[in-house]
Amino acid sequence: MSEQKKAYFAAIVYAIIIGFSFIFTKISLIEASPLDTLAHRFTMAFLIAIILKLYRRTSVKMTAKDTLKILPLVFLYPILFFTFQVFGLVYTSSSEAGIIQATIPIFTLLSASLFLKEYAGKGQKFFLYLSVMGVIFIFVMNDLQLEAHSLKGTILILLSSIAAAFYNVVARTLTKQYSLFTLTYVMTFFGFVAFNSMAIINHIINQSISSFFLPLTSSSFLISIVYLGALSSLLTGFLSNYALSILPASKMSVFSNLATLITIIAGVIFLHESIHYYHVVGAMIILVGVIGTNYFGSNRSKHISKTIADPLVKKGSKVNE
């Protein structure tokens, strides 16, 4: 299997995992606050990352310069992305969040053209916007009342989408310089430190530290945290970093719309939501958009992107695992 095919496979698996994550996030929020959910989620992810590191018998060596270089990526994802997302899901439904996050490819296309000079061709732009319209079509036909949206939830999910778009752009450069395991491990570590610090400080201020561990007595919460930590945080971090090391940012971002489609399918299977003709029509539009965006990727954008990225990677400069 070629590297590009592997990248597409990673992007598809990434979309499937993210698609189910909205359901598990909503379940976890029943038992815990947003900060506690994020803290336990990244504790689980970091524990698994440590086990993997020990199993691989490798060390992650980072200098102060390396850390400063990776910090912008960490700040965007996981810190800003998951903070805005989980707090946004408190004020809005997973369906509403799905339609808002369909804007990720648009923000990515704009930021990639601005910072990476990855200019999309007309065909790629058409299919990217087609994919977005497929998502919007499903939710509009599903009687989603836009005026009923919580303004706070809408803004938070929109900010999450913008953070994801900039992450796609920043990761394109860093995946050329550092190993995938190193990037994923560092991202998970900082997520663990940041979210646990915020959650514990919040409990100390409110004198409720004992309630920090209370959600762990719920089986549904534990199942959700295992999924969100092991798969939706750690594995997706690795998969997205891998895909972005090969695919242009605008191509990778369109898979977020495929994730929205997975969210709908998950709702039908696990929440017994009904499926209608417009779900099928919208699904076909999304899939055509995903395939078309990747098929009509501009050769010029690939060439320019390579030209921009290559000077950043000196011989032997890639940090090993």
Side-chain angles (χ1 to χ4, degrees):
M1 186 184 292
S2 67
E3 285 297 310
Q4 194 163 52
K5 286 182 179 179
K6 289 179 181 178
Y8 282 127
F9 178 76
I12 291 171
V13 175
Y14 165 86
I16 293 172
I17 295 173
I18 294 298
F20 282 100
S21 69
F22 283 99
I23 293 176
F24 286 100
T25 300
K26 293 293 285 187
I27 292 173
S28 66
L29 287 172
I30 295 173
E31 303 291 340
S33 68
L35 279 180
D36 287 358
T37 296
L38 288 169
H40 292 306
R41 172 179 186 162
F42 275 87
T43 297
M44 176 63 66
F46 187 54
L47 286 174
I48 296 173
I50 292 174
I51 293 172
L52 288 175
K53 187 166 75 75
L54 293 174
Y55 176 77
R56 291 162 59 94
R57 296 180 181 179
T58 185
S59 60
V60 177
K61 298 177 181 179
M62 298 290 295
T63 65
K65 184 178 179 181
D66 292 325
T67 303
L68 288 174
K69 193 179 291 186
I70 295 176
L71 274 180
L73 181 73
V74 172
F75 186 64
L76 291 167
Y77 185 101
I79 296 176
L80 284 184
F81 174 77
F82 284 113
T83 299
F84 289 138
Q85 184 191 76
V86 76
F87 276 96
L89 283 169
V90 172
Y91 302 104
T92 189
S93 68
S94 59
S95 295
E96 292 169 333
I99 189 172
I100 298 166
Q101 289 209 324
T103 59
I104 291 177
I106 296 176
F107 288 126
T108 301
L109 186 65
L110 294 174
S111 55
S113 63
L114 182 63
F115 296 106
L116 298 179
K117 309 305 178 186
E118 290 183 354
Y119 299 112
K122 291 181 180 179
Q124 189 179 9
K125 287 181 180 179
F126 171 79
F127 282 102
L128 188 148
Y129 295 135
L130 182 66
S131 180
V132 174
M133 290 306 298
V135 177
I136 295 174
F137 173 77
I138 288 175
F139 288 113
V140 169
M141 292 299 293
N142 202 30
D143 296 324
L144 180 66
Q145 299 299 317
L146 294 177
E147 62 269 19
H149 276 195
S150 161
L151 181 60
K152 186 183 292 186
T154 299
I155 293 173
L156 288 170
I157 297 297
L158 187 63
L159 289 173
S160 174
S161 301
I162 294 172
F166 279 105
Y167 155 76
N168 287 334
V169 172
V170 176
R172 276 288 287 166
T173 299
L174 291 178
T175 52
K176 307 288 184 182
Q177 303 173 63
Y178 299 92
S179 72
L180 299 178
F181 183 80
T182 295
L183 276 181
T184 305
Y185 186 88
V186 171
M187 288 164 61
T188 305
F189 168 74
F190 276 102
F192 163 76
V193 172
F195 293 129
N196 274 279
S197 297
M198 288 189 285
I200 291 173
I201 290 172
N202 181 62
H203 280 291
I204 291 175
I205 292 174
N206 294 312
Q207 298 181 336
S208 58
I209 194 67
S210 60
S211 64
F212 177 65
F213 301 99
L214 191 60
L216 297 175
T217 61
S218 167
S219 58
S220 62
F221 182 81
L222 283 175
I223 292 171
S224 298
I225 289 303
V226 170
Y227 181 91
L228 294 172
L231 300 181
S232 189
S233 298
L234 186 63
L235 183 57
T236 56
F238 180 85
L239 291 171
S240 60
N241 286 336
Y242 174 73
L244 284 165
S245 70
I246 299 169
L247 301 176
S250 58
K251 281 190 175 185
M252 176 58 188
S253 68
V254 80
F255 282 92
S256 63
N257 286 355
L258 182 59
T260 301
L261 174 60
I262 300 299
T263 300
I264 295 171
I265 294 174
V268 172
I269 296 174
F270 297 104
L271 301 180
H272 307 293
E273 297 175 349
S274 59
I275 188 167
H276 303 286
Y277 77 91
Y278 51 83
H279 290 130
V280 178
V281 174
M284 291 175 64
I285 295 173
I286 292 171
L287 289 174
V288 170
V290 170
I291 295 171
T293 299
N294 287 279
Y295 181 78
F296 287 98
S298 171
N299 290 326
R300 179 170 176 268
S301 71
K302 291 180 186 177
H303 173 73
I304 296 175
S305 175
K306 188 175 187 300
T307 304
I308 295 296
D310 283 350
L312 296 174
V313 190
K314 298 178 182 177
K315 277 191 175 181
S317 66
K318 187 167 184 177
V319 178
N320 294 324
E321 302 165 35

